[in-house]
């Protein structure tokens, strides 16, 4: 082998260098195409992905199906697993639920092998030429299309075309390089040295397995290494048994991305990444030993009804992941327990009740990130309204015992506002669908409105403190008017929360009605205040606070009204007649 390599001349070495540069370019085009197609499919299918993820929590079989479907959309098991680590980190998914979704992700990623197999089937030039034209059509759609949907489809077509162009570069470059007899002999000697052509591989199994794992870990794309393996096979440089062990290695190497992603997360998120590693390692161990003795028979069986080697590799890839899932799915709980033994709880980390809902890992899946921002805004809004209720209670009762809790909640509201704003800046830089862009834009204003509600609640606490200091009290009539305003604000909050959380404009009639009522009650309070002052039935201290209170409560209603109206910028009601009647009756 060494002599064959040393015998290469200068022109042959230059040919190899040029070919390697083109090979790297082919891999780059392939990976860019996969990312472009996956990212845009994911953005276009954002709502569908959110619905799929919600179903994943029901049972392990739905979890497997969800993992497979989402991975088929994003064309990357690593991306799906990183997403799952984020879900576990914020407490939206349990470790057991995550395990089944991870198993499904391994099944879904096999779609890339079939795409690659198509590109090497039959008349390569004709297939590549067709998809090169598809990429050109995609460029035209992206450049000339005015609607976001058209540009999105154009980007998907560009990605699909680049996948096939990248594979064609790999295949043609290898074919051209091997036309040189000296290079072909040297390459054959290298592959013979690591077991080429043997029916039963021995130590070479470890070399091929580690090669697949190492390269996948470096590139962080099992699809790219699988594509290279298929390209090598299409040039008859490797056999199906050799490709099998490379594929087993890629399944382990792809865990690197999830392991890196889990750094800095809570203990359960790190365990989710370990579950991913355990699943692939155990699956490989289960199959690598039998395959060492039966790979030749498996190859003969596949060759008996599928003569194309590229398709044989793709089918093996799929069958391996299907069988591994079938074998290990009944033992999900044991995988989770093993992960818990490997990743121990640390002091102070045993029971984390609060999670950062806006995990930065969600930025890789903008459609889901937008949904998470909405959840965090709803939580922030609930805290602000709860603080308003506390402030009013302190004012009416003179009991300031909740002042410390109020101050802590207000601090959290302000911190949440800053965190959401920072996250929205990062999210706005991602590739968003037009509807999600409108949501992100509106969310800036919504968080500001909620923060202002908290500020008005602070004012009310100050009024309560002054009332206690001055030993002032409201008359029974004044208290009744304040409670009347509070009733309208409470109902307004319910309708606004429903509008924002459900993205449903049917609640807006009730929102308008209640907001109008707060304006009317505010005017009523001001008129009553003047009347009581004229009649001498109100002290100056209590009267001044009462007037300011009426204005503050009315402004709280205004900010709630703003939040509900923000939904108009992106809401599209597609609901059934049954849902329509329900919302109308609720309003």
């Amino acid at each position: 082998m060494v002599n064959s390599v040393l015998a290469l001349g200068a022109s042959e070495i230059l040919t190899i260098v040029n070919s390697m540069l083109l090979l790297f370019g082919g891999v780059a085009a392939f990976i860019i195409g996969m990312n472009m197609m996956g990212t845009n499919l994911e953005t276009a299918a954002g709502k569908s992905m959110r619905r799929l993820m919600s179903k994943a929590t029901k049972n392990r079989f739905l979890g497997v199906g969800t993992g497979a479907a989402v991975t088929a959309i994003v064309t990357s098991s690593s991306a799906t697993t990183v997403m799952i680590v984020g879900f576990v980190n914020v407490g939206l998914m349990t470790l057991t639920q995550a395990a089944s979704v991870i198993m499904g992700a391994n099944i879904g990623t096999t779609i890339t092998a079939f795409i690659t197999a198509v590109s090497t089937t039959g008349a390569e030039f004709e297939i590549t030429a067709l998809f090169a034209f598809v990429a050109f059509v995609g460029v035209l759609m992206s450049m000339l299309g005015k609607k976001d949907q058209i540009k999105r489809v154009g980007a998907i077509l560009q990605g699909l075309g680049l996948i096939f162009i990248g594979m064609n570069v790999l295949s043609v470059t290898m074919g051209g390089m091997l036309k040189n007899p000296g290079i072909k002999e040297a390459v054959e000697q290298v592959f013979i040295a690591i077991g080429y052509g043997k029916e039963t591989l021995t130590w070479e199994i470890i070399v091929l397995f580690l090669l697949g794992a190492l390269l996948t870990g470096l590139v962080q794309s099992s699809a790219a290494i699988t594509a290279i393996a298929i390209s090598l096979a299409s040039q008859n440089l490797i056999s199906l048994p050799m490709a099998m062990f490379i594929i087993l290695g890629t399944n382990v190497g792809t865990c690197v991305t999830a392991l890196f992603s889990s750094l800095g997360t809570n203990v359960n998120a790190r365990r989710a990444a370990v579950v991913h590693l355990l699943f692939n390692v155990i699956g490989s161990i289960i199959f690598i030993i039998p395959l060492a003795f039966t790979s030749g028979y498996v190859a003969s069986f596949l060759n008996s009804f599928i003569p194309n080697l590229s398709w044989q590799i793709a089918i093996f890839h799929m069958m391996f992941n299907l069988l591994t899932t079938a074998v290990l799915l009944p033992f999900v709980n044991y995988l989770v327990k093993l992960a818990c033994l490997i990743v121990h709880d640390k002091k102070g980390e045993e029971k984390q009740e609060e999670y950062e809902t806006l995990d930065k890992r969600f930025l890789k899946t903008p459609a889901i990130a937008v949904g998470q921002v909405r959840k965090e805004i709803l939580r922030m809004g609930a805290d602000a309204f709860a603080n308003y209720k506390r402030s009013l209670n302190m004012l009416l009762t003179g009991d300031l015992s909740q002042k410390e809790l109020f101050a802590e909640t207000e601090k959290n509201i302000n911190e949440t506002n800053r965190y959401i704003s920072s996250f929205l800046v990062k999210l706005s830089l991602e590739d968003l669908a037009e509807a999600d862009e409108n949501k992100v834009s509106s969310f800036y204003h919504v968080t500001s409105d909620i923060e202002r509600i908290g500020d008005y609640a602070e004012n009310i606490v100050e009024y309560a403190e002054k009332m206690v200091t001055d030993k002032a009290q409201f008359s029974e009539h004044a208290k009744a008017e304040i409670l009347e305003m509070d009733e309208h604000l409470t109902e307004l909050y319910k309708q606004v929360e429903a509008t924002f959380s459900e993205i449903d404009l049917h609640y807006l009639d009730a929102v308008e009605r209640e907001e109008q009522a707060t304006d009317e009650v505010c005017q009523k309070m001001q008129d009553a205040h003047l009347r009581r002052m004229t009649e001498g039935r109100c002290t100056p201290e209590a009267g001044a606070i009462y007037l300011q209170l009426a204005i503050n409560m009315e402004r709280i209603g205004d900010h709630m009204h703003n939040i509900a109206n923000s939904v108009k910028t992106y809401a599209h009601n597609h609901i059934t007649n049954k849902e329509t009647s329900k919302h109308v009756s609720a309003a």
Side-chain angles (χ1 to χ4, degrees), residues 71-72 75 107-116 317:
T71 304
T75 62
I107 296 172
T109 195
T110 60
I111 190 173
T112 59
F114 285 98
I115 293 173
T116 305
H317 192 199

Side-chain angles (χ1 to χ4, degrees), residues 306-343:
I306 304 173
N308 186 278
L309 188 55
S310 300
W311 280 92
Q312 291 172 11
I313 294 172
I315 289 172
F316 169 78
H317 192 199
M318 180 185 69
M319 292 307 300
F320 163 70
N321 284 293
L322 283 172
L323 289 172
T324 303
T325 300
V327 170
L328 294 181
L329 187 59
F331 303 99
V332 164
N333 292 333
Y334 294 100
L335 275 177
V336 170
K337 288 180 181 178
L338 183 56
C340 292
L341 289 174
I342 294 172
V343 182

Side-chain angles (χ1 to χ4, degrees), residues 47-57 65-66 69-70 73:
K47 291 182 180 179
S48 299
M49 285 179 60
R50 286 196 290 268
R51 285 195 293 268
L52 281 171
M53 281 298 183
S54 66
K55 292 179 180 178
T57 59
T66 297
V70 171
I73 292 172

